[in-house]
Amino acid sequence: RYVPANNTYHVLTNTKKYIPQINDRIIGIVEEKISAEYYRVNIFGPHPALLHTLSFENATKRNKPNLNAGSLLYCRVESCVADSDTILSCKVNDGNNDGGAKRKDWMTDEGTYGELKGGVNTRISLGLARELLLPDNVVVDALASSRTSSASGGEPMAFEIAVGVNGVLWVHSTSPECTVVILNAIKNSEVLNEEQVRGMVKNVVSTL
């Protein structure tokens, strides 16, 4: 990635297998509830991870999420020790800033972490995932500033995305057609430079 301000290139390696690190923000899929206290979650790493049923903001034994197999979660890695299960959490980390994560009751669906409802998820490369998480990511900026074709009213594109550093992307928008355009634009951006990305986004959005 070229940074014009200081005339340098940042080279990001694109490893094929996700290895969990503490405080990684990831997207996982619930596989099953293995006891009264834990869910097993697929994080697309070497092994599944565990999530405690009370690891949600303000969850209690009487008031907690009831997740089903297939539920999609945006969560963070709380601990990962060799030869031990990786532990996940849907609570904001009290020990540091946690990247500006919002602490909201799990029932409000307004917090940073928790279940991702609706939308579509897909696998992407780890390198693309890291690029999407940069504050100045070109394709996200281009999509956010795009408007649909005049035939559709020329409205701004309304959508939400969540990106896991484990190579999972979630997109939720106002229509299936819009979601497909966003997914395609993001995947295509991986092999394009900034000028090409902005041109590509303009072209695909014009089809809506």
Side-chain angles (χ1 to χ4, degrees):
R1 187 173 68 97
Y2 178 61
V3 182
N6 53 9
N7 195 32
T8 60
Y9 284 88
H10 291 178
V11 179
L12 299 176
T13 58
N14 196 9
T15 54
K16 295 184 180 296
K17 192 71 173 179
Y18 169 67
I19 305 299
Q21 301 291 325
I22 292 177
N23 286 328
D24 275 356
R25 292 183 177 185
I26 63 171
I27 294 176
I29 301 176
V30 174
E31 291 186 336
E32 62 178 332
K33 192 172 185 179
I34 59 174
S35 70
E37 296 184 339
Y38 284 97
Y39 293 100
R40 178 182 287 118
V41 181
N42 181 1
I43 61 172
F44 303 98
H47 307 286
L50 298 180
L51 173 69
H52 198 283
T53 57
L54 299 183
S55 289
F56 297 81
E57 299 292 350
N58 298 325
T60 66
K61 289 184 177 180
R62 293 187 176 184
N63 183 26
K64 58 187 177 183
N66 182 25
L67 304 174
N68 298 312
S71 293
L72 203 66
L73 296 170
Y74 189 60
C75 46
R76 65 178 180 83
V77 175
E78 186 168 62
S79 69
C80 50
V81 180
D83 301 321
S84 183
D85 291 316
T86 295
I87 304 298
L88 307 177
S89 176
C90 285
K91 288 183 177 181
V92 174
N93 187 351
D94 291 321
N96 60 29
N97 185 43
D98 204 355
K102 294 188 296 183
R103 186 191 303 276
K104 296 284 187 178
D105 189 291
W106 72 268
M107 294 185 67
T108 67
D109 290 330
E110 296 177 356
T112 295
Y113 304 115
E115 185 176 5
L116 298 172
K117 300 176 181 178
V120 174
N121 71 90
T122 187
R123 298 291 305 281
I124 57 176
S125 72
L126 302 186
L128 178 56
R130 289 193 295 269
E131 283 284 336
L132 292 171
L133 290 168
L134 295 173
D136 57 349
N137 180 262
V138 176
V139 70
V140 174
D141 177 70
L143 287 167
S145 58
S146 294
R147 303 180 74 88
T148 59
S149 67
S150 57
S152 301
E155 296 294 328
M157 289 183 61
F159 64 94
E160 298 175 272
I161 68 170
V163 182
V165 297
N166 59 331
V168 183
L169 169 69
W170 173 82
V171 177
H172 184 269
S173 73
T174 53
S175 70
E177 295 80 9
C178 186
T179 297
V180 170
V181 162
I182 293 168
L183 288 172
N184 288 339
I186 289 175
K187 289 185 175 182
N188 291 341
S189 72
E190 188 169 16
V191 294
L192 304 177
N193 61 35
E194 179 174 348
E195 182 179 355
Q196 291 171 330
V197 167
R198 293 192 182 279
M200 176 269 296
V201 169
K202 183 178 180 180
N203 288 336
V204 296
V205 172
S206 68
T207 64
L208 293 174

